[in-house]
Amino acid sequence: MSDYTTIVGLEVHVQLATASKLFCGCSTKFGAEPNTQTCPVCIGLPGTLPVMNRNAFQLALKTAVALNCEIPAYTKWDRKQYYYPDLPKNYQISQYDLPMSQHGYLDIGDPKGAFEPKRVRILRAHLEEDAGKSLHDEVAGKGDSLIDLNRTGTPLLEIVSEPDMRSPLEAKAFLTELKLLLTYIGVSDCNMQEGSLRVDANVNLHIDTAEGKVATPIIEIKNMNSFRAVERALEYEVGRQWCEWQETHRKLGDAPKQTRGWDDVAGVTRGQRSKEESSDYRYFPDPDLAPVTVGPQDAAAIRESLGELPAALRGRLESDFGLSAYDADVLVNQGSPVVTYFLDVAKFTGDPKAAANWVTQDVLRTLKESEHTIESLPVASSALAELIRKVKAGEVPSSRAREVFQTMVEKRVDVAAAMQSLGIAAVDEGELIALCQKLLAANPKTISDVRAGKLQAVGALIGQAKKQNPNVDPTRFRELCLELIEKAP
Ligand code: ZN
Ligand code: MN
């Protein structure tokens, strides 16, 4: 009987949110007509000279600092030799032996405890330029191939993790946390459909055998365009490697690394080519670009400017506001505008738990089911706080609070107007007591049931009370009934 461990490492290419390309002034805006955002530099005409985009370097530094990386004082540019139609220079400007950052980490966890929290080490993060795009068979039956060089030279940050993940789920959690971090610090829009975030996954198995540990060949999976696809591709590949090993039982340790592509529709990976070794690329320092120096004060200034990162924010929501890990996670995953909205509601009401319940339930459901963003939601944080206050004061029956909220959203009105349009008027305490006494007198069995310990017997009375007056607050009514029963002779 053998057992195995899944070993996963990820390589993520993130497009940095700059207005122009990495080494020329061409626009990076997505969706333009093919080849309209090009110039002699990015199409690689001889005699042109690249000039580094400072902003791209700043965004890369910001990311590296947020990923807890070491920032070397000196970094340089290298040429990675390729011959591909979508890279007319025949080399990609990248970073090889002296990347702009290395040896960082990202902590991941699962709010539902599906795996133990862990630290995934970041091997390196370096800057490089993107290639263009080949388009095949655009005109049906013509068998043509076209090139769009708009994307050529767009700044990418390549983030390489150590093989520290032990399951497809952990890999997905890493990507989710990374995307959240990048979004919080505003370095990328992370739009996977537009190619702003691309993932390659390396996976193999360490198998325990009677003769010791055997490692299956490392497979690099490409062509995955969602985190769910990454998870599925890894699950498939783990199964495939395990079956292959069981069938062959051969010593696989020396087999070369292989690249496989993910077919999302068929749900399988397919072999592509054997993986290039870095020596195949014949890297050498780019003589056209000056090295970049980064002082310790630069990194410190960036650290200052980062603001609160998702992990710290989650921690603060739990420790300062008493939220559950799950609620804190839900809120932080929505992005900082939703967190700010929650913080405002919590501040205005002084009741963070009620604020969290409303925001994670009704507010998020409304955002999901409507075209609204948190910024365009007709119910401002102060208006939701007002509703929560009125519910606590018994002016809005808790059973009708959701209706009031929906009316505020749909009619774009404040709490008072929503209450009026729903015919909600506060039931005064005297009225409520009278109603309670009347119903208790008519239902002596309820009294004996409650005294016998069956508190839920009160429920029948709540139903009757609401029939007589829909504004009755069930929570308050229940309290009153139990009080009266206790006091009764
Ligand atoms: Zn250009
Ligand atoms: Mn790369």
Side-chain angles (χ1 to χ4, degrees):
M1 233 357 248
S2 308
D3 206 0
Y4 66 83
T5 309
T6 302
I7 311 288
V8 180
L10 295 170
E11 204 178 292
V12 180
H13 285 84
V14 180
Q15 183 180 331
L16 297 172
T18 55
S20 58
K21 295 184 180 179
L22 186 49
F23 298 112
C24 65
C26 292
S27 169
T28 55
K29 201 166 182 311
F30 181 83
E33 282 293 301
N35 300 308
T36 54
Q37 294 173 167
T38 57
C39 73
V41 175
C42 58
I43 65 173
L45 294 189
T48 55
L49 286 173
V51 177
M52 186 191 76
N53 180 341
R54 272 273 148 203
N55 187 32
F57 197 84
Q58 277 300 111
L59 294 180
L61 267 184
K62 208 170 164 180
T63 313
V65 170
L67 287 170
N68 310 291
C69 287
E70 292 165 12
I71 313 294
Y74 174 95
T75 181
K76 70 171 173 65
W77 303 97
D78 302 287
R79 291 185 178 183
K80 185 179 183 180
Q81 319 296 325
Y82 271 99
Y83 180 76
Y84 280 134
D86 53 14
L87 194 77
K89 288 203 301 283
N90 285 346
Y91 61 84
Q92 175 193 32
I93 304 176
S94 181
Q95 302 198 288
Y96 182 54
D97 54 336
L98 297 171
M100 47 85 52
S101 70
Q102 55 190 344
H103 307 320
Y105 62 85
L106 181 65
D107 290 330
I108 60 168
D110 182 273
K112 288 180 177 160
F115 60 85
E116 285 298 304
K118 68 155 50 175
R119 176 159 291 182
V120 176
R121 292 166 300 155
I122 306 291
L123 175 63
R124 57 187 279 157
H126 71 250
L127 262 169
E128 62 186 31
E129 56 178 350
D130 205 350
K133 212 170 136 190
S134 299
L135 307 156
H136 303 296
D137 299 319
E138 288 295 292
V139 183
K142 272 191 78 178
D144 55 354
S145 281
L146 305 168
I147 302 289
D148 177 6
L149 297 177
N150 280 352
R151 208 176 63 184
T152 311
T154 295
L156 296 179
L157 188 68
E158 178 178 321
I159 301 166
V160 185
S161 88
E162 295 278 8
D164 285 349
M165 287 148 281
R166 293 292 171 268
S167 68
L169 190 65
E170 288 185 9
K172 187 165 160 232
F174 175 85
L175 293 169
T176 307
E177 186 67 10
L178 178 65
K179 181 181 173 188
L180 190 65
L181 182 70
L182 298 170
T183 311
Y184 263 78
I185 61 177
V187 295
S188 173
D189 65 19
C190 295
N191 187 329
M192 290 187 85
Q193 265 69 49
E194 296 179 3
S196 300
L197 198 159
R198 286 170 254 161
V199 183
D200 299 329
N202 287 288
V203 56
N204 73 334
L205 307 179
H206 287 182
I207 301 167
D208 295 319
T209 70
E211 300 84 47
K213 241 186 205 15
V214 177
T216 57
I218 296 172
I219 299 294
E220 179 171 33
I221 316 172
K222 292 191 172 287
N223 193 32
M224 299 170 289
N225 54 14
S226 71
F227 293 167
R228 176 74 189 122
V230 174
E231 194 185 14
R232 288 178 64 214
L234 285 169
E235 280 164 1
Y236 174 83
E237 192 55 33
V238 168
R240 191 193 65 78
Q241 290 185 26
W242 176 238
C243 286
E244 185 180 79
W245 184 80
Q246 278 183 310
E247 278 165 20
T248 58
H249 271 262
R250 59 195 158 105
K251 300 264 180 199
L252 296 162
D254 293 330
K257 188 167 162 179
Q258 194 202 346
T259 300
R260 297 177 72 89
W262 171 243
D263 181 334
D264 204 50
V265 178
V268 298
T269 61
R270 293 201 174 92
Q272 291 182 328
R273 58 185 159 115
S274 64
K275 180 75 186 153
E276 290 90 345
E277 296 293 323
S278 63
S279 59
D280 295 338
Y281 292 120
R282 301 289 187 270
Y283 281 96
F284 72 89
D286 193 310
D288 290 341
L289 282 160
V292 187
T293 54
V294 182
Q297 71 284 359
D298 298 325
I302 282 177
R303 196 165 282 117
E304 282 295 296
S305 73
L306 276 181
E308 196 171 27
L309 301 179
L313 190 50
R314 270 194 294 259
R316 185 159 72 91
L317 293 182
E318 288 177 50
S319 63
D320 295 8
F321 294 89
L323 299 195
S324 67
Y326 184 79
D327 279 351
D329 194 61
V330 168
L331 285 174
V332 172
N333 284 344
Q334 295 297 319
S336 55
V338 170
V339 176
T340 304
Y341 183 96
F342 158 76
L343 290 172
D344 287 344
V345 177
K347 186 176 72 189
F348 296 146
T349 56
D351 187 345
K353 288 226 167 98
N357 283 341
W358 274 95
V359 176
T360 58
Q361 292 166 33
D362 294 77
V363 171
L364 292 186
R365 184 182 316 113
T366 303
L367 296 185
K368 208 171 157 191
E369 289 170 359
S370 68
E371 298 287 287
H372 289 299
T373 62
I374 194 75
E375 288 92 346
S376 75
L377 187 72
V379 181
S381 51
S382 56
L384 176 56
E386 177 68 13
L387 171 59
I388 294 172
R389 262 201 305 270
K390 282 198 181 325
V391 173
K392 286 169 87 176
E395 293 169 46
V396 172
S398 53
S399 56
R400 301 194 70 187
R402 179 162 285 165
E403 254 179 286
V404 175
F405 178 78
Q406 283 310 324
T407 306
M408 290 166 76
V409 173
E410 281 154 25
K411 300 196 167 167
R412 299 174 172 269
V413 293
D414 64 8
V415 185
M419 286 170 67
Q420 201 178 20
S421 90
L422 292 167
I424 294 175
V427 181
D428 88 18
E429 190 85 347
E431 222 176 301
L432 206 58
I433 292 173
L435 182 59
C436 193
Q437 282 167 334
K438 191 177 103 186
L439 289 172
L440 283 174
N443 296 279
K445 185 162 186 308
T446 306
I447 301 180
S448 52
D449 282 350
V450 169
R451 289 203 170 135
K454 286 204 278 176
L455 293 187
Q456 71 273 24
V458 174
L461 296 194
I462 298 175
Q464 293 184 40
K466 287 194 68 183
K467 245 177 229 160
Q468 300 203 13
N469 183 347
N471 288 323
V472 164
D473 177 23
T475 312
R476 183 64 192 135
F477 183 83
R478 182 176 190 277
E479 282 169 10
L480 268 178
C481 279
L482 294 176
E483 264 170 48
L484 288 175
I485 292 170
E486 199 170 307
K487 277 190 217 146

